[in-house]
Amino acid sequence: MNTVTTKSSELRAWFGLLVVLGPVLLVAMDGSVLFMAMPAITSALAPTADQSLWILDSYGFAVGSLLIAFGTIGDRYGRKRLLLIGASMFGLGSVGAALATSPELLIGFRVLMGVAGATLLPSALAVLGTLFTEPRRRAQAIGIFAATFAAGFAIGPVVAGQLLSRFWWGSVLLINVPVVLAFLVFAPILLGEVRERGRGRIDVASVLTSAAGLLLAMYSVKHVAAEGISGSTVLVGLVGAVSLGWFARRQGRVENPLIDFTLFGNRVFTIAIITAFLPLAAWSATAYLAATYLQSVLGLSISDAALLAVPGALVLTVAAVLTPAVVARIGRSAALISAHFSIAAGLLLLLPTGTGAGVGWYLAATAVAGVGYGISFSVVADIAVAAVPPERAGSAAALAETGNELGNALGIALFGSLAAVMFRLNGPDLAPTLGETLHLPAVTAAALVDARTAFVDALHVVAATAAVLHAVLGTVAIRVLRRPVVVTEPTPVLA
């Protein structure tokens, strides 16, 4: 009877994981699904250049600024409850965004989707600690979770490309609705409510300052990178920095802090959180630029460009799934280090691409870098959950997910702005972007050649810069992690 009960509980846990993975896949996909859709959105809604950036960035900004707050709220008041509320909001936001008739409406609904995404990610990862109480099974589940999250980012442009070749641009957002409905039906059945007990109320001041500080700081960095320094932008950035500084100091004084900063005393954890940021920044920027390169420079159709992203997505997904087994053999430190150098090597393979050919180099680059991306996603998630007791897993998971989302949000703003500057310096000086130059009336053939060449050069600068940053961080990790560091597996405790 005990054996039957154990098998039944294990089967229920795996079904619970399957249900949780639906929203996780959607939240990750929606960080990248609009990369391929932006030309169609531009044609339909005619956003300004600044509105176009906000259409891409507002989702990631909302998720990144609220993850810490919602990670703790889920711990205190119930992860399943927050998952159900977040999924409902995500579905409504998706429908609204798909049917938006103006850039302002689209941006507004993308913000709503971002708020919902911030409620989903920390609780979805933290709930694995309660579904899987045995460390080995939990590690497998976290690996699958990480692979799903990674695959969502990777396949977003692929799915969008296939839908855009058949339907209007809103279809890339409406595909969220069936998954959300399925989650709302099965989650109440398969997921038990788990919350942290024995603690006082949430510190509202910490919640507000963490969210406001992150949002204002990201807004300031984005506008400085994209439009240059101005008095108002600097002021906003200073307010954000002061808010974050006050928040950090307050966490050491309040009884129930949102973030346990003592976690950063673990060297592997610290490098892992940095690793959560940089790979997503590099990936989001190069994926967006590569989509433009394949379509506007090499002249490929949307569907063909999307299919070329499939091999890299598959490599990334497989790498994330296999990472727990690799970590068991070589350790987390070696895995983190290898991830950075793999990404650096893959990014450097973009340098031989040109205006006449480059598909082979693009495929090689996404495959090699995909190994590093998959490892980084899986290791970060593993450490975030394994380093803390289960009742604090939501808060720790929020740190890792915040790094991911900040990287995704700021990657386009920072690296994309670098590409824009290089294009303006080297291009024909007819329009600020390649897309606008290609659509100018009576533009000469020579100007088109110059524009495409300038864009490719800008892509190379971004790839080289990101590669150098990864190589530097990998070198730092070798020095910091040269001594073995053991992350203690916590004893699972259900509330």
Side-chain angles (χ1 to χ4, degrees):
M1 184 67 178
N2 290 337
T3 302
V4 174
T5 302
T6 300
K7 288 184 177 179
S8 176
S9 298
E10 186 172 338
L11 185 62
R12 182 186 180 92
W14 287 111
F15 275 119
L17 171 63
L18 184 62
V19 169
V20 166
L21 293 181
V24 171
L25 182 67
L26 294 183
V27 173
M29 279 180 55
D30 275 271
S32 62
V33 76
L34 294 187
F35 290 172
M36 289 283 183
M38 278 309 296
I41 292 173
T42 299
S43 177
L45 303 183
T48 65
D50 191 53
Q51 287 174 332
S52 295
L53 283 177
W54 276 112
I55 289 171
L56 290 171
D57 290 344
S58 57
Y59 175 81
F61 282 2
V63 175
S65 62
L66 294 170
L67 274 172
I68 294 174
F70 281 123
T72 300
I73 289 172
D75 284 343
R76 302 287 174 82
Y77 297 113
R79 295 168 188 164
K80 186 176 79 171
R81 179 186 302 176
L82 198 60
L83 282 170
L84 293 173
I85 294 172
S88 301
M89 289 174 56
F90 197 86
L92 292 173
S94 298
V95 173
L99 302 178
T101 55
S102 70
E104 293 83 3
L105 280 176
L106 178 55
I107 292 169
F109 280 114
R110 289 288 286 173
V111 170
L112 177 61
M113 292 173 66
V115 173
T119 71
L120 292 171
L121 286 177
S123 291
L125 180 55
V127 81
L128 300 188
T130 61
L131 286 174
F132 300 89
T133 58
E134 196 271 316
R136 186 174 63 87
R137 293 296 189 195
R138 186 175 65 245
Q140 291 175 342
I142 290 173
I144 295 172
F145 178 99
T148 303
F149 185 73
F153 274 111
I155 69 174
V158 178
V159 173
Q162 296 305 308
L163 289 172
L164 289 167
S165 65
R166 296 170 175 82
F167 308 105
W168 102 112
W169 65 266
S171 62
V172 304
L173 297 168
L174 282 183
I175 59 171
N176 297 339
V177 176
V179 179
V180 167
L181 292 177
F183 177 81
L184 294 176
V185 170
F186 291 106
I189 301 172
L190 294 170
L191 303 180
E193 185 61 280
V194 181
R195 60 173 60 88
E196 180 184 1
R197 294 176 180 173
R199 288 181 177 268
R201 296 180 178 178
I202 291 177
D203 182 42
V204 177
S206 294
V207 171
L208 295 177
T209 53
S210 66
L214 282 170
L215 182 61
L216 293 175
M218 288 188 293
Y219 176 89
S220 177
V221 170
K222 169 188 175 294
H223 274 267
V224 168
E227 301 176 8
I229 298 176
S230 66
S232 59
T233 303
V234 171
L235 180 60
V236 169
L238 287 175
V239 173
V242 170
S243 299
L244 290 175
W246 188 85
F247 164 76
R249 290 193 60 187
R250 185 172 178 81
Q251 300 318 289
R253 300 196 304 265
V254 297
E255 183 180 356
N256 302 303
L258 285 180
I259 295 179
D260 181 5
F261 282 101
T262 60
L263 289 174
F264 290 95
N266 183 310
R267 299 190 307 274
V268 178
F269 185 86
T270 301
I271 295 295
I273 296 302
I274 299 174
T275 300
F277 174 84
L278 185 57
L280 257 298
W283 183 87
S284 63
T286 53
Y288 176 57
L289 294 173
T292 302
Y293 167 73
L294 294 173
Q295 296 177 71
S296 299
V297 176
L298 297 186
L300 300 179
S301 65
I302 291 178
S303 58
D304 288 342
L307 287 175
L308 289 176
V310 171
L314 290 176
V315 170
L316 188 156
T317 303
V318 171
V321 171
L322 296 180
T323 292
V326 174
V327 167
R329 295 181 64 88
I330 68 174
R332 292 184 176 95
S333 299
L336 279 173
I337 293 166
S338 65
H340 286 295
F341 287 108
S342 175
I343 294 171
L347 290 169
L348 290 177
L349 288 175
L350 288 173
L351 299 186
T353 55
T355 57
V359 169
W361 288 110
Y362 167 76
L363 291 173
T366 55
V368 174
V371 174
Y373 291 135
I375 293 173
S376 68
F377 295 150
S378 186
V379 171
V380 168
D382 187 13
I383 292 175
V385 173
V388 299
E391 68 270 13
R392 296 293 289 163
S395 300
L399 285 174
E401 300 298 346
T402 297
N404 284 332
E405 291 300 332
L406 292 183
N408 185 47
L410 293 180
I412 296 176
L414 297 176
F415 288 123
S417 296
L418 174 60
V421 169
M422 299 306 300
F423 181 81
R424 288 197 298 269
L425 291 176
N426 300 321
D429 198 24
L430 299 175
T433 67
L434 174 61
E436 292 174 274
T437 303
L438 295 178
H439 289 89
L440 288 175
V443 62
T444 66
L448 291 178
V449 171
D450 289 344
R452 290 188 172 98
T453 301
F455 180 86
V456 172
D457 291 341
L459 172 62
H460 293 168
V461 170
V462 169
T465 302
V468 169
L469 290 175
H470 275 286
V472 169
L473 186 53
T475 303
V476 171
I478 292 174
R479 295 179 61 86
V480 172
L481 309 177
R482 60 185 179 275
R483 295 187 300 275
V485 178
V486 177
V487 179
T488 303
E489 294 286 359
T491 301
V493 178
L494 293 182

